[in-house]
Amino acid sequence: MTLLQTLGLTYPIIQAPMAGATTPELAATVSNFGGLGSLGAGMTTPDALSNQINTMKTLTDRPFMINLMVLSEHDCTTLDSAVPAWLSQYYQEKDIDIDLPKRPAQNFAEQLQVLYDNPVPVASFTFGIISAEHVQRLQQLGTCVIGTANHPLEAQAWAEVGADAVCLQGMEAGGHRGGWLAQGVADPLGLLTLIGQTRACTDIPLIAAGGIMTGQDIKAIQTAGAQLAQVGTAFLTTDKCAINDSYKQALLDASHGKRSTETRLTRLFSGKPARALINDYLRDFTAFDDTDTLPPYPQLNAMTKTMRAEAVQRKDAEYQSLWAGQGVALVKQESTIELLERLVQGL
């Protein structure tokens, strides 16, 4: 049975689970169309997550996916690094009071419990790997389990714990890198290379993510050996996406030649590598984009949150995290349905 059949999809398209950008309405639109809509729930409280799942179940009777960030109890609760001097100086110069939370991230164990108590058709995981026991428990509840990998060794690890599929995220992808092994950080692999190397070492069904913007891109990754395409950046400028207007305009400006389409993998926003459009923040502080000196994820993410939120209020894209993949030049201002119809033409 193919992954398309296993997941009950009409089209080989997954809308990427972009935390902060996805909504039940966006995900349901994709699912009702025949793809797999998803919610990036890594930053969502357990109560809100349960409510969102209930909303999804009222908006669609088709399969949908919930994505969680795998973080240890220590990662979720520890905020013991000092705010970097350059960031502290920025807050002082802008007369902004930094508002640090008591904990830098949501409790992953509590979020996972929501998926046990309120089962969903598909659950995917990023930033780490769950145990075989967790995989089996989800599968026993009728949930299909999908891992995320930036390196073939991570894909192998997901196969070994019994996951139903793995999403291979090439270096072209926007937003945070989903893997956890040092090998995937040291030498990021392009998507087609990643697919080829992974197919050589495991037969787990593959989903491809990174730079996929057209129906032709989908056919290319299928030819390479992936069964489904996970599309993210293309959805950011559609009507159902939840990103703010200044972020959306920056993406559209890049596609219209009004700003550079250059993106960069950076740790400066969160402490974890993530691909974003170049803006003033990345230019101003590029000298500090160093693994050895930056606080780790999610601590730095908590430290820059006030800056990013204040920039959103000012409608200033230059100090927001403008997550975008290398296909950003092809984004369009369109409805979610229009994008989906374009993607499936000729498939």
Side-chain angles (χ1 to χ4, degrees):
M1 184 179 290
T2 67
L3 199 50
L4 193 78
Q5 294 167 325
T6 299
L7 297 178
L9 309 181
T10 306
Y11 301 109
I13 296 170
I14 299 175
Q15 163 253 312
M18 302 169 286
T22 53
T23 63
E25 290 73 23
L26 171 62
T29 298
V30 177
S31 290
N32 287 331
F33 184 84
L36 185 67
S38 66
L39 289 175
M43 299 186 297
T44 306
T45 66
D47 285 346
L49 173 56
S50 189
N51 289 335
Q52 286 184 344
I53 291 171
N54 290 336
T55 299
M56 284 296 303
K57 290 177 178 179
T58 65
L59 293 175
T60 184
D61 57 3
R62 302 294 298 269
F64 63 88
M65 181 168 78
I66 299 295
N67 175 267
L68 296 180
M69 302 168 179
V70 182
L71 297 172
S72 69
E73 182 70 17
H74 179 271
D75 290 338
C76 296
T77 59
T78 304
L79 192 53
D80 58 1
S81 298
V83 176
W86 53 268
L87 182 58
S88 180
Q89 182 178 354
Y90 171 85
Y91 280 124
Q92 291 173 5
E93 290 176 352
K94 300 296 183 181
D95 196 26
I96 301 171
D97 292 327
I98 183 171
D99 183 21
L100 289 178
K102 292 182 179 179
R103 52 186 302 151
Q106 295 297 322
N107 186 295
F108 169 68
E110 294 176 1
Q111 292 174 320
L112 184 60
Q113 185 63 44
V114 173
L115 301 190
Y116 296 148
D117 296 337
N118 195 356
V120 297
V122 187
S124 68
F125 299 90
T126 189
F127 296 2
I129 189 168
I130 60 176
S131 69
E133 290 74 22
H134 288 147
V135 171
Q136 291 166 9
R137 184 171 178 185
L138 288 166
Q139 290 170 335
Q140 288 166 359
L141 292 168
T143 300
C144 180
V145 177
I146 298 174
T148 306
N150 298 139
H151 192 277
L153 290 177
E154 292 169 338
Q156 275 188 304
W158 277 109
E160 289 167 1
V161 297
D164 296 284
V166 65
C167 180
L168 299 180
Q169 183 192 39
M171 66 178 294
E172 303 92 340
H176 282 95
R177 302 276 285 162
W180 68 95
L181 294 178
Q183 293 94 326
V185 176
D187 186 17
L189 297 174
L191 181 56
L192 294 180
T193 300
L194 180 56
I195 293 171
Q197 291 189 11
T198 302
R199 286 192 71 200
C201 67
T202 178
D203 59 1
I204 190 172
L206 301 180
I207 299 160
I212 300 171
M213 303 292 290
T214 66
Q216 288 80 5
D217 294 335
I218 295 173
K219 287 192 285 188
I221 61 95
Q222 289 181 314
T223 299
Q227 295 188 33
L228 307 180
Q230 183 166 286
V231 181
T233 300
F235 281 99
L236 291 175
T237 51
T238 65
D239 63 336
K240 299 292 185 183
C241 187
I243 64 172
N244 68 79
D245 290 343
S246 52
Y247 178 4
K248 188 173 292 189
Q249 191 60 53
L251 299 174
L252 292 169
D253 285 349
S255 72
H256 295 153
K258 296 179 181 179
R259 72 178 293 149
S260 172
T261 58
E262 182 184 357
T263 61
R264 180 188 302 170
L265 282 171
T266 178
R267 295 177 183 267
L268 279 172
F269 285 107
S270 70
K272 185 174 177 63
R275 185 172 294 282
L277 271 181
I278 300 290
N279 59 5
D280 287 350
Y281 175 74
L282 294 185
R283 293 187 193 96
D284 292 348
F285 300 114
T286 187
F288 304 103
D289 202 348
D290 184 340
T291 309
D292 296 329
T293 58
L294 287 175
Y297 183 90
Q299 295 192 45
L300 183 59
N301 193 61
M303 295 170 185
T304 64
K305 183 177 181 179
T306 301
M307 174 194 74
R308 291 179 280 120
E310 196 268 347
V312 171
Q313 283 198 329
R314 289 189 288 109
K315 300 182 179 180
D316 177 11
E318 298 307 316
Y319 282 82
Q320 298 178 42
S321 48
L322 304 177
W323 305 135
Q326 289 183 336
V328 65
L330 298 180
V331 300
K332 298 178 183 294
Q333 187 168 14
E334 59 190 339
S335 71
T336 303
I337 290 293
E338 286 172 333
L339 169 60
L340 289 164
E341 289 174 342
R342 282 201 302 110
L343 290 174
V344 301
Q345 285 177 1
L347 289 184

